[in-house]
Amino acid sequence: MKVELLAPAGDLERLKVAIEYGADAVYIGGKQFSLRARASNFSLADIKEAVEYAHQRNRKVFVTVNMIPHNSDFEGLRQYLEQLDEIKVDAIICASAAILALAKSMNLNMEVHISTQQTTTNSVAISYWQNKKADRIVLAREVTYENLKEIMKETTLPVEVFIHGGMCANFSGRCVISNMLTNRDANRGGCAQSCRWSYHLYHHDSCLDKEGQLLSMGSKDMCAYDYLQRLLDIKVASLKIEGRMKTAYYIATVVKAYRILIDEYYQNGTISEKRLNEAAILFKRGSNRESFSGFYPGIPDINGQIYNNDVMANQSYLANVIDYSAGVATVEVRNYFRLNDRLRIFNPVGEDVYFNVDSLVDLNGETVEIANRPMQVLKMKVPVEVNTFTFITKSEVERWD
Ligand code: SF4
């Protein structure tokens, strides 16, 4: 059985991008009973459209029902699960034994996956959830590769692991820093990412950090493609990418990179250095924070932390295509570029195509020297056919001349 590449999506546009760029399954949040309240979550009508789009392409849709519910949170849950089942959602992801028990008592067609919010880190806990009829376990990110190898020998329940995305400074889902500092509940999707803020460190009245140098508690992001082959060798069921709040371009770059690596593994039984290098380039395009391999090599030390809050500038995504006809793309501007710049066409499948912007006009046909208004609609000649899933991005060489 081939591994599943599981991507996040905050809305329908991003779900479609994830699928076109190679995700086998996409997880989304509904408007009820889900974390990531600030992600633009899906209405039931949106979920239905998402499921139809995915199923037509033989892909799956999972819906997070992963809030940590209090007594007052159950009203409407049974009906909501029935509705999800009716529109043929493939699985729900839940973090609560109560929601698992309810879903299983209803004899639904949907699978029930146990969320990483349950912090499952060992085979005994997996057996527990298996006995409760869970269909899949999403392991905590805080499991080393050596631990995972042992777990995979001892369990028959399909195991999903994280391969890429943001990490918590605490065990995922076991953190109330945001609740304490902002009154925003991390377990109801309101996390203010307070671990990534800048702080001074005081001992009594004395500031221990150097003057003007603020400290953060944040973790580096996970980018564990160097462990991909080992994860495939031990036959994990699913590789999860974190990031329902991330942009369509981020999702496209990350999904395409893993798709290329996974496909090569199943074609050749190994992943070549060449493909790993290509993937590294793709990961850099979409991300703006330092990354590491998470807990796979071992419990992270100080090298897994980001102590200052430097965010790397990342404006490589310049425009997306909204129409194409006879060699001319109509694009919507996202970041600054100029006539005569050398740009790149990034498509779901195939190599990048580089071209020189030798024609850039507005909708009145007037030449535009500088594209600097976000959402501005312009037309440009392109050397290959593009479509609405194409991104126009910076090339490494910005100017043609
Ligand atoms: S504050 Fe940081 S560690 Fe806590 S839940 Fe939010 S992202 Fe995770």
Side-chain angles (χ1 to χ4, degrees), residues 168-170 175 186 191 193-195:
C168 277
N170 289 292
C175 171
C191 175
Q193 307 224 334
S194 312
C195 62

Side-chain angles (χ1 to χ4, degrees), residues 266-373:
Y266 287 113
Q267 206 177 323
N268 301 335
T270 185
I271 299 173
S272 65
E273 209 56 36
K274 178 176 180 288
R275 291 292 184 215
L276 287 169
N277 291 339
E278 284 171 14
I281 290 168
L282 285 177
F283 292 134
K284 269 198 199 132
R285 284 184 196 166
S287 88
N288 59 3
R289 286 166 51 85
E290 284 182 72
S291 61
F292 72 141
S293 308
F295 278 62
Y296 289 130
I299 306 291
D301 57 17
I302 59 170
N303 295 315
Q305 292 283 125
I306 296 181
Y307 286 105
N308 57 32
N309 258 336
D310 289 350
V311 172
M312 295 177 269
N314 177 7
Q315 292 175 330
S316 67
Y317 165 30
L318 301 179
N320 65 337
V321 175
I322 54 177
D323 199 11
Y324 170 82
S325 174
V328 176
T330 307
V331 303
E332 217 170 48
V333 175
R334 291 290 191 273
N335 278 304
Y336 171 101
F337 63 93
R338 294 169 296 183
L339 189 65
N340 292 326
D341 276 353
R342 183 138 176 92
L343 304 186
R344 176 199 296 123
I345 291 171
F346 178 54
N347 270 322
V349 178
E351 305 271 318
D352 295 338
V353 177
Y354 292 82
F355 71 108
N356 184 39
V357 185
D358 50 19
S359 129
L360 187 64
V361 297
D362 64 17
L363 293 182
N364 298 320
E366 299 289 328
T367 292
V368 173
E369 295 281 339
I370 301 175
N372 57 1
R373 282 195 286 121

